[in-house]
Amino acid sequence: MSLESLLNQELQAQSPSALEADLTHVSTQLLARGEMLATAESCTGGLIAAACTALAGSSQWFERGFVSYSNAAKSELLGVDAALIAAQGAVSEAVVRAMAEGALAHSAAQASLAVTGIAGPTGAAAGKPVGTVWFGWCVAGRTHSEVQHFPGDRAAVRAATVAHALARLKSLLQ
């Protein structure tokens, strides 16, 4: 299966018009502020960046995307302390906040969003079932974070993660 068809399959699990509307709003808000966005993604493997760059004109507001799937990548690309990952686990509030802040520190962006989670079907741990996703956003000098638990298979969890990350960014930019 090609990457494009995989992306289309995962994003079809949600309403394409809702995603497009959220992206349009995000782009409008970032352009009005004169800001750029950076993403730091683990469980989505670049799907958020792909959704952003699918919108024509995204080069005016999308600065870059980091795919930091492994713990080593989180440390090397984003500056997340390996000791923090070892102590808290890769799927944790502390790590997602460090990822969001690291995306800003390692880019020319002024806003960021980060995701780390367990898309499944394997990878669940005590207190962290499949579908657990931590989100982090840096907007207007503040870091925000939250956890969500999504039902469904791997594609559904990843699609829900993309949709939630962008919908919440939209609300933070208002």
Side-chain angles (χ1 to χ4, degrees), residues 17-84:
S17 59
L19 178 63
E20 190 172 323
D22 285 345
L23 279 169
T24 299
H25 184 85
V26 165
S27 68
T28 300
Q29 289 298 310
L30 289 169
L31 287 168
R33 295 167 176 242
E35 294 181 353
M36 300 288 281
L37 175 68
T39 60
E41 302 179 64
S42 185
C43 61
T44 50
L47 291 174
I48 297 169
C52 290
T53 58
L55 191 64
S58 58
S59 62
Q60 295 176 9
W61 56 270
F62 186 81
E63 207 274 331
R64 72 182 68 188
F66 297 94
V67 176
S68 54
Y69 201 74
S70 71
N71 292 344
K74 289 172 182 64
S75 296
E76 293 167 13
L77 297 174
L78 302 168
V80 178
D81 188 340
L84 179 67

Side-chain angles (χ1 to χ4, degrees), residues 71-147:
N71 292 344
K74 289 172 182 64
S75 296
E76 293 167 13
L77 297 174
L78 302 168
V80 178
D81 188 340
L84 179 67
I85 297 171
Q88 300 290 318
V91 180
S92 65
E93 182 177 20
V95 169
V96 82
R97 290 175 73 90
M99 289 172 65
E101 292 165 0
L104 286 185
H106 293 88
S107 72
Q110 298 77 33
S112 69
L113 71 82
V115 297
T116 182
I118 305 165
T122 62
K128 297 178 184 177
V130 169
T132 302
V133 181
W134 273 99
F135 296 83
W137 302 266
C138 290
V139 176
R142 294 191 56 214
T143 304
H144 309 266
S145 56
E146 66 183 54
V147 66

